[in-house]
Structures are given as structure tokens and as C-alpha cells.
Amino acid sequence: MTSKMIRLLFKTSKWSPTADEWLRAANTVSSVERCRIAEFVYKRDAKHSLAGRLMMRSVFASITSRSPEGFELERDGSGKPYLPTPPPSLQHYSFNVSHAGDYAVFVGSHDGSVGVDVMKVELRRNTDLETFFSHMERQFTPDEWAVIRAPSDRQGQLFNFYRNWCLKESFVKAIGTGLKFGLQRIEFNLGVVGDKSTECSTTTVAVDGDIDDSYVFEEYFYDGHIVAVTLIPSSTCYLATASDLKIVQFNDLCVSENLYHDPEYFSNFDKKQEAPGR
């Protein structure tokens, strides 16, 4: 079996939607999704959420040859989106989205269960490194902390921190538990990367102290962000193909040709501040 994994990355920070784009996008998603997106205080978060939904629906449409509006999406107990009544071609399709920093990301596969996480490699506002690390101390094992703190510079430590964090997030998404799965039960052995590396596929994991090679991990280092993907293959014959993280823009996606009927949906969005402090 060869991988049919789809990996899409949308730079939402550079998307300044026109009224037509926003209303076409709004017409693509469900009323529940529209209401949830309208509740965001900042444009940044609304764009993140809508971009994730558009990528999902665009991929579903390409697989099924149906319109992107024609899919009902719900969330499970851990908040992961799913199709309650998938068409035959999506019966065993696993997908996941994440967003942070400047990007929203989508991953989907017919070959097993997937999880994805993206983070920008930066320190949170008004927080020093030691305070930040102390708040996260219980999320990593002593060996992981040794790797995180190994670089002599702050940026190197943040890079190793977010590699581990994104891998853990993608892992618990793939297994379907969310963060209620004790993160110290998972210990990653990070694959070696160079200063100019853009991806890594050699990271391994131990679960409850035992190395488990049934998982496939992909990491991408792009534009100051880290994307981590976990795949639990559905076949022991799984063969990973060349990785392909595809950068997409609004016009690359399959979106409704019709405008949502209420123009205030865009004007209410357009009045909002882009992000805190901006």
C-alpha cells in the first residue's frame, strides 16, 4: 500500500478576504460553522477556522466529485471534526486540521488515522523562557527536557520544545483521545535535523516506556513554524511515499460559486481587529 496522504498549508495571515471571497466561503460551510466563526473576536481566529473548514471541504469535494457545500460535519468528544454520514469514497478517510501563528493546516489519508499540529516557534507574549518552561514542566519526560534544553541559545531550545509539543499534539489527535491522554506516557526521540532542514521523518516514540514503531511521524519546518503529522497506518504493508506539504491559497480551494445571502456577515468580520495588540 502506498500513501495517499494529503497535506495542505494555508497562510491565513496573508489572506485579506474580499467581500466576495468571505461570502462565498461562508456559503460553503454549514450554518453551525458560520455561527461559530462569527463568534471569534479577532479576524485572525476567524480566518484560521474558516480556512480549515474550506480545506476539509475542498478535499472532500475532490475525492467525491461533489460540491463542497454537500457535507455534514460534526465534532467528537475531543473536538475532532468528523463526517457522521460519509459517502462511500470517504468511509475510511481520516482527516485533521490545526492552526496557529500564520497558518492553518489540513492532513487527510485513506491509509490510517491521522493527527496534525502546527505551532510558530516563538515565545508567548510577556513571558520569559524559564517561566514558560516551568508552566509546561509536567508535559514532558526528563529525557525530553534534556533534549529541549540542550541547545545553548533560546531559539534552539524553543525549536526543540515545539518539535516535541507538536508531535505530542498530533499523536493524541491521531489516537483520538485529545490531551486527556497523559503526555508523559509518550516520549519522543527526535530525529536529527540540520540547520537548513525542511523536514524530518526519522523521529520515533516510546509509549509507557516501550518503543512503538507502529506510528509514522512527519515533521516540516517552514517559515518559522513547525508542522507535525502522526499517522497510524491501517496496514502493516504501509509504504510512505515522498512527502509533499502543499502551500495553498484561497483560489486553489474548491469553494461555493454563490455568495452567502447576508452581506453583514462580511461587514461584521471586516470591522474586527486582526489580532490582539494589532
Side-chain angles (χ1 to χ4, degrees), residues 99-218:
H99 44 74
D102 299 323
Y103 289 94
V105 61
F106 167 93
V107 171
S109 176
H110 279 105
D111 294 343
S113 180
V114 296
V116 65
D117 194 54
V118 58
M119 289 297 294
K120 189 172 185 178
V121 183
E122 64 178 359
L123 196 59
R124 294 177 180 176
R125 296 175 64 190
N126 303 318
T127 305
D128 65 84
L129 187 65
E130 287 306 315
T131 301
F132 177 51
F133 281 177
S134 68
H135 289 162
M136 303 298 291
E137 184 175 0
R138 297 175 60 186
Q139 310 304 333
F140 301 97
T141 68
D143 285 347
E144 287 173 329
W145 274 118
V147 171
I148 290 169
R149 292 183 175 278
S152 59
D153 63 298
R154 188 181 81 165
Q155 198 64 17
Q157 292 185 24
L158 281 172
F159 180 73
N160 285 353
F161 172 89
Y162 281 118
R163 282 188 70 187
N164 273 286
W165 180 255
C166 287
L167 285 162
K168 293 199 179 209
E169 283 267 14
S170 70
F171 181 94
V172 297
K173 289 180 178 182
I175 65 175
T177 63
L179 293 177
K180 64 185 179 182
F181 187 93
L183 294 186
Q184 283 208 9
R185 295 176 58 189
I186 321 160
E187 182 172 277
F188 284 96
N189 180 19
L190 299 182
V192 177
V193 297
D195 292 341
K196 296 185 179 180
S197 296
T198 58
E199 59 187 70
C200 177
S201 59
T202 57
T203 288
T204 58
V205 71
V207 181
D208 294 330
D210 296 321
I211 295 173
D212 192 332
D213 60 5
S214 62
Y215 301 95
V216 176
F217 301 105
E218 297 178 351

Side-chain angles (χ1 to χ4, degrees), residues 22 35-44 46 265-275 278:
W22 196 252
C35 289
R36 186 182 298 119
I37 291 163
E39 290 173 354
F40 285 110
V41 174
Y42 299 108
K43 285 183 178 179
R44 175 197 62 190
Y265 192 78
F266 173 75
S267 60
N268 289 336
F269 161 79
D270 202 41
K271 294 173 186 174
K272 295 178 179 180
Q273 189 175 336
E274 179 66 25
R278 298 183 191 176

Side-chain angles (χ1 to χ4, degrees), residues 88 165 190 198 225 236 238 253:
W165 180 255
L190 299 182
T198 58
H225 292 66
T236 56
Y238 173 83
L253 301 177

Side-chain angles (χ1 to χ4, degrees), residues 1-54:
M1 180 184 293
T2 56
S3 171
K4 303 179 181 65
M5 192 185 295
I6 296 173
R7 314 157 185 84
L8 304 179
L9 192 64
F10 189 129
K11 191 167 188 176
T12 55
S13 65
K14 293 297 184 183
W15 182 32
S16 298
T18 64
D20 277 9
E21 286 177 346
W22 196 252
L23 294 176
R24 285 177 58 205
N27 202 57
T28 306
V29 301
S30 70
S31 59
V32 172
E33 291 168 314
R34 275 195 301 273
C35 289
R36 186 182 298 119
I37 291 163
E39 290 173 354
F40 285 110
V41 174
Y42 299 108
K43 285 183 178 179
R44 175 197 62 190
D45 301 317
K47 290 190 293 181
H48 275 333
S49 182
L50 186 51
R53 294 289 162 159
L54 294 180

